[in-house]
C-alpha cells in the first residue's frame, strides 16, 4: 500500500526535512487492494537503518519520511487474492 500525503486516519512520527526532528503527522492509506493485507499496528520499532534513512546518510532524501518497519499487529482485512 502506498501512503497518501496529507491524508487522514493514520498517526505517525515523521522527519519532515533533513536535519529536522521527528514530528507527529497524520497520513492516509488507500483502500485494501486484491493483493494487500491491512494491519492494525500495535507496536513499531526502529533500527539503525531507520536512523540512517532519516538522516539522509545513504544519498537519497525523500521527505516526509516516517521511519520504522519492524511491526507487530493484527490483520484486520485481506484482499480477495
Amino acid at each position: 500500500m502506498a501512503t497518501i500525503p496529507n491524508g487522514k486516519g493514520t498517526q505517525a512520527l515523521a522527519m519532515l526535512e533533513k536535519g529536522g526532528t521527528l514530528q507527529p503527522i497524520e497520513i492516509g492509506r488507500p483502500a485494501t487492494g486484491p493483493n494487500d493485507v491491512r494491519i492494525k499496528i500495535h507496536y513499531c520499532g526502529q533500527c539503525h537503518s531507520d536512523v540512517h534513512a532519516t538522516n539522509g546518510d545513504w544519498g537519497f532524501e525523500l521527505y516526509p519520511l516516517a521511519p520504522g518497519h519492524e511491526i507487530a499487529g493484527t490483520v484486520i482485512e485481506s484482499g480477495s487474492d
Side-chain angles (χ1 to χ4, degrees):
M1 289 186 188
T3 299
I4 301 171
N6 301 319
K8 299 292 181 197
T10 301
Q11 302 294 319
L13 290 174
M15 184 78 71
L16 303 179
E17 61 188 8
K18 185 173 183 169
T21 59
L22 291 173
Q23 302 291 322
I25 64 168
E26 189 171 357
I27 59 177
R29 305 299 287 175
T32 304
N35 296 310
D36 294 329
V37 175
R38 183 175 299 270
I39 300 172
K40 178 177 176 59
I41 298 172
H42 300 289
Y43 304 97
C44 178
Q46 293 184 9
C47 67
H48 202 72
S49 62
D50 295 312
V51 174
H52 285 295
T54 58
N55 290 338
D57 295 338
W58 291 330
F60 57 88
E61 298 174 8
L62 183 60
Y63 299 99
L65 172 68
H69 61 275
E70 299 164 341
I71 64 168
T74 305
V75 173
I76 58 172
E77 183 181 4
S78 60
S80 58
D81 292 339

